[in-house]
Amino acid sequence: MVNSKKHIVGAHYGTRDWLMQRVAAIVMAVYALVLAGLAFAAPTGYAGWSGIFNNQFMKLATFVALICLFLHVWVGVRDILMDYIKPTGVRLTLLVLTIVALIAYIGWSIHILWGMK
């Protein structure tokens, strides 16, 4: 007797990542609109932009937008690597390199936003 009922294993595992990527895109879009608004309203030149980014709120907003960018990149790159790189060793190596790069970018972002005076 053949059981025609299918058992779905792993259902909804991608939903969380899909939602995270969409929320990150919305946060980045809002941040881009804020920057576009500042571009029209802010004083021109280095001093004007430096003054805007010396504000702790703007530093935090920039960092949140960068974290959203890194999460967005992670989901996209991971999905591409899982879909197109079939040898497991190569895929895992590329995934680890991606993780290391994104962690380095997070550290670099912190250094840029809060490390320089």
Side-chain angles (χ1 to χ4, degrees), residues 16-90:
R16 179 192 54 172
D17 294 333
W18 178 86
L19 184 62
M20 179 177 60
Q21 194 174 38
R22 295 325 181 260
V23 169
I26 291 169
V27 170
M28 291 184 298
V30 168
Y31 182 77
L33 290 173
V34 168
L35 279 183
L38 288 173
F40 290 110
T44 59
Y46 176 79
W49 283 101
S50 179
I52 290 171
F53 282 94
N54 279 335
N55 182 352
Q56 287 300 319
F57 177 77
M58 194 61 184
K59 288 181 181 184
L60 183 61
T62 301
F63 188 67
V64 168
L66 287 170
I67 292 296
C68 286
L69 174 67
F70 301 147
L71 289 172
H72 193 88
V73 166
W74 166 246
V75 172
V77 169
R78 189 202 62 211
D79 288 350
I80 289 170
L81 292 175
M82 286 180 8
D83 288 346
Y84 295 107
I85 308 296
K86 297 303 178 191
T88 305
V90 175

Side-chain angles (χ1 to χ4, degrees), residues 62-63 66-67 70 100-116:
T62 301
F63 188 67
L66 287 170
I67 292 296
F70 301 147
V100 168
L102 290 173
I103 290 171
Y105 295 153
I106 290 170
W108 194 14
S109 300
I110 291 170
H111 175 70
I112 289 170
L113 290 171
W114 285 284
M116 296 183 178

Side-chain angles (χ1 to χ4, degrees), residues 6-13:
K6 291 185 179 181
H7 295 284
I8 299 174
V9 178
H12 303 293
Y13 285 141

Side-chain angles (χ1 to χ4, degrees), residues 81 87-99:
L81 292 175
T88 305
V90 175
R91 184 175 60 241
L92 289 176
T93 301
L94 291 172
L95 286 170
V96 168
L97 289 174
T98 302
I99 291 169

